[in-house]
Amino acid sequence: MPQKLAAGNWKMNGQAADLAEIEALLPAVQAARCEVLICPPATLIDRMRRAAGSAPLAIGGQDCHAAKSGAHTGDISAAMLKDAGASHVILGHSERRQDHGETNASVRTKASAAIAEGLVAVVCVGETLAEREANRTLDVVGGQLSGSVPDGISAEMLVIAYEPVWAIGTGLTPTLDQIGEVHDALRAALAGRFGAEAGSAIRLLYGGSVKPDNAVEIFGVSNVDGALVGGASLKAKDFGAIIAALGTAG
Ligand code: PGA
């Protein structure tokens, strides 16, 4: 059984004053019976790392460029994230796919670059509402998984987040059966590609409107190894409750 992971995605939110939320979260992190990761905007990585002190809080980026350095104005490389104190990076979030035209191929190249720097790649997949309504969810998510994940990975290098686009920031969530169906399919695809051992050890997170009041039931779904949490990760009280819920999940 892989160690479960509670991951927060602050998106384009947070300034120095918001580090007070991290200080408030530290007791929950210290007591956590799972790994805890927060991916703040890159401007806060270093300060969040310092605010975490010796607490077991991993810090991650939200994207990286595939190149190590060079003439790419506004971009940040995996090496820079690592240098700033990150251990993880979210890649291929649907907001990046939509707002920046990221493709499976570009996400895969970024994931290779991140892994080469020793970062854990948190690769996101998920269908739109139109794709779900057309019964294409498993095809879409399976295609994103195979296209976005590089070859030759081992379980500690990779986390997959299943995030239905229509559930992100909307307060809507799939049914528990729908989450289970996708997570089972992702698990089978990973085992088929990387072998049973690695396939069963790669963490599969659910993301999309995870809140303290639905976390327990979502964490009870088979093959859900944690969550990628947006809005509810901004407040220590909510994210702390989600961390606690994950720690008690079977
Ligand atoms: P949400 O976002 O929890 O605010 O729905 C999740 C995500 O996009 O990672």
Side-chain angles (χ1 to χ4, degrees):
M1 281 274 280
Q3 164 93 308
K4 294 185 188 289
L5 173 64
N9 173 11
W10 275 24
K11 309 192 180 185
M12 198 173 73
N13 297 293
Q15 298 187 12
D18 300 296
L19 293 170
E21 292 298 325
I22 296 305
E23 275 148 38
L25 185 70
L26 290 184
V29 173
Q30 297 282 14
R33 294 175 56 218
C34 60
E35 276 180 44
V36 183
L37 164 68
I38 296 194
C39 300
T43 46
L44 284 184
I45 289 175
D46 176 51
R47 277 177 285 182
M48 194 177 280
R49 170 77 284 133
R50 291 165 202 252
S54 60
L57 176 66
I59 312 291
Q62 298 176 8
D63 176 50
C64 70
H65 195 280
K68 228 181 160 65
S69 62
H72 302 288
T73 302
D75 280 313
I76 297 175
S77 71
M80 290 167 173
L81 292 176
K82 187 148 191 227
D83 185 51
S87 53
H88 295 63
V89 59
I90 298 171
L91 294 169
H93 189 282
S94 63
E95 289 153 13
R96 301 280 324 167
R97 291 179 188 262
Q98 279 172 352
D99 297 355
H100 299 272
E102 294 195 3
T103 62
N104 291 334
S106 63
V107 174
R108 186 185 185 119
T109 318
K110 290 174 179 212
S112 294
I115 290 166
E117 288 297 335
L119 296 178
V120 178
V122 181
V123 173
C124 303
V125 298
E127 82 287 0
T128 63
L129 188 57
E131 288 163 344
R132 175 160 285 279
E133 284 173 352
N135 276 328
R136 294 186 51 229
T137 297
L138 294 184
D139 275 0
V140 168
V141 167
Q144 290 173 330
L145 185 76
S146 64
S148 304
V149 172
D151 290 329
I153 62 104
S154 57
E156 65 280 2
M157 300 170 181
L158 179 71
V159 172
I160 302 295
Y162 167 54
E163 301 204 303
V165 177
W166 52 274
I168 294 175
T170 58
L172 303 172
T173 52
T175 65
L176 301 181
D177 283 349
Q178 288 172 329
I179 295 174
E181 182 188 33
V182 175
H183 279 240
D184 289 353
L186 291 171
R187 180 73 73 212
L190 289 168
R193 183 163 166 199
F194 298 112
E197 202 177 314
S200 62
I202 293 169
R203 267 85 59 88
L204 299 180
L205 309 184
Y206 168 77
S209 297
V210 176
K211 308 285 176 208
D213 62 2
N214 62 16
V216 171
E217 59 179 18
I218 290 172
F219 294 149
V221 176
S222 78
N223 284 319
V224 172
D225 304 313
L228 181 55
V229 182
S233 72
L234 295 169
K235 291 283 161 224
K237 189 165 166 284
D238 289 347
F239 198 45
I242 291 168
I243 291 168
L246 187 55
T248 58

